[in-house]
């Protein structure tokens, strides 16, 4: 079943001769439950595409449909509601609130979007991610690998349909980076979610069912 449809999407910065085309007429479709890697050179528009798909980046032209609803013209508040209800995010930086425990950092999206936490699901998540013994610790007391597992749990806790990940292993050593990707694929497969991630690591890209290769703000169909 079709989950996303992009039609002639542009993201432009600046004006006139100073205009930069971060995305330049992108059209594509993404199916439900796909595992997709967005790849391409530095500055090609990978993260911009991810941010446009997730409603973080406002597009300049074109249309983006999520389940046949065009959210490209949504107000900021409606976009925020869409993200809270349907999307989860894992970024290169951990974005943990240092004054809050691991438990509270994970709880946050579910409380904001639903007003409550599914405690049984929470216990399952933290056990799978091997952070169940760290729930009362602050982020400063965690290892690098543990710090990245917390955002994975936080992204999954409100049971979103789509997980977006932007270089999720970028701040980790190779061992922890491989573990983060293994967990992302394992968890999104178990909970029947779509996974869309940006990576510059071609070994990580090969894990996906499909790659969307971006070059100069456009889908590069010639790069085989």
């Amino acid at each position: 079943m079709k989950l996303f449809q992009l039609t002639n999407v542009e993201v432009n910065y600046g004006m006139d001769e100073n205009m930069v085309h971060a995305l330049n007429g992108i059209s594509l479709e993404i199916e439900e439950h796909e595992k997709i890697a967005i790849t391409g050179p530095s500055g090609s528009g990978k993260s911009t595409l991810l941010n446009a798909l997730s409603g973080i980046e406002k597009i300049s032209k074109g249309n983006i449909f999520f389940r046949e609803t065009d959210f490209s013209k949504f107000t900021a508040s409606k976009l925020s509601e869409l993200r809270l209800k349907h999307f989860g995010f894992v970024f290169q930086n951990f974005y943990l609130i240092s004054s809050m425990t691991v438990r509270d950092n994970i709880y946050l999206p579910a409380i904001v979007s639903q007003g409550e936490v599914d405690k049984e699901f929470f216990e399952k998540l933290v056990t799978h991610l091997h952070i169940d013994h760290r729930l009362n610790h602050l982020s400063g007391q965690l290892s690098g690998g543990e710090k990245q597992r917390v955002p994975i749990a936080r992204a999954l806790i409100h049971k979103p349909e789509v997980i977006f990940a932007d270089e999720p292993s970028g701040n980790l050593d190779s061992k922890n980076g491989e573990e983060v990707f293994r967990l992302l694929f394992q968890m999104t497969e178990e909970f029947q979610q779509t996974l869309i991630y940006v990576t510059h690591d071609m070994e990580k890209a090969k894990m996906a069912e499909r790659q969307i290769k971006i070059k100069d703000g456009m889908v590069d169909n010639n790069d085989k």
Side-chain angles (χ1 to χ4, degrees):
M1 183 179 293
K2 191 184 302 177
L3 193 64
F4 287 98
Q5 182 176 357
L6 282 68
T7 307
N8 297 320
V9 168
E10 294 185 16
V11 173
N12 302 318
Y13 304 117
M15 296 182 66
D16 302 326
E17 68 273 9
N18 295 318
M19 183 178 287
V20 174
H21 301 286
L23 296 181
N24 192 6
I26 286 188
S27 297
L28 58 86
E29 295 181 356
I30 294 173
E31 298 291 322
E32 196 175 43
H33 303 151
E34 275 197 284
K35 306 292 185 281
I36 290 180
I38 301 175
T39 64
S42 179
S44 60
K46 301 187 300 296
S47 292
T48 305
L49 176 58
L50 188 84
N51 291 339
L53 278 165
S54 62
I56 292 175
E57 182 79 53
K58 196 76 172 173
I59 67 173
S60 306
K61 292 182 182 179
N63 305 90
I64 303 182
F65 293 85
F66 175 72
R67 295 201 177 282
E68 301 184 345
T69 297
D70 183 359
F71 68 81
S72 56
K73 307 300 187 292
F74 275 15
T75 63
S77 61
K78 285 195 72 175
L79 278 172
S80 179
E81 183 181 337
L82 175 76
R83 290 192 298 267
L84 281 170
K85 185 175 181 180
H86 297 285
F87 303 157
F89 299 88
V90 182
F91 297 104
Q92 180 173 338
N93 295 315
F94 308 127
Y95 294 121
L96 300 178
I97 300 173
S98 60
S99 60
M100 294 173 63
T101 64
V102 167
R103 184 191 307 276
D104 290 338
N105 267 284
I106 297 170
Y107 274 7
L108 198 57
I111 291 173
V112 172
S113 64
Q114 301 165 350
E116 60 183 2
V117 176
D118 182 333
K119 299 292 180 63
E120 184 177 343
F121 183 65
F122 169 80
E123 293 296 335
K124 185 176 183 178
L125 272 181
V126 297
T127 300
H128 273 329
L129 291 166
H130 308 297
I131 50 174
D132 48 318
H133 63 300
R134 292 296 219 172
L135 298 179
N136 295 317
H137 290 72
L138 299 176
S139 60
Q141 299 172 298
L142 306 180
S143 69
E146 289 169 338
K147 284 180 180 177
Q148 191 56 299
R149 293 178 191 184
V150 177
I152 294 174
R154 184 178 59 193
L156 293 164
I157 188 63
H158 59 299
K159 303 175 185 177
E161 293 174 74
V162 187
I163 298 296
F164 292 100
D166 193 352
E167 298 282 9
S169 62
N171 283 333
L172 302 173
D173 59 43
S174 59
K175 181 180 178 181
N176 279 312
E178 288 171 6
E179 177 68 1
V180 161
F181 268 88
R182 186 190 69 78
L183 289 168
L184 272 174
F185 272 81
Q186 175 189 327
M187 302 296 274
T188 53
E189 185 65 29
E190 180 168 349
F191 302 126
Q192 292 294 291
Q193 293 158 314
T194 302
L195 174 62
I196 305 171
Y197 63 95
V198 166
T199 185
H200 67 277
D201 184 333
M202 295 315 296
E203 291 304 312
K204 303 291 192 304
K206 289 175 183 177
M207 297 172 67
E209 297 166 354
R210 177 160 67 106
Q211 293 182 39
I212 297 174
K213 300 177 182 181
I214 304 298
K215 183 177 181 181
D216 299 327
M218 297 180 286
V219 175
D220 185 5
N221 293 314
N222 295 318
D223 185 358
K224 304 300 183 185

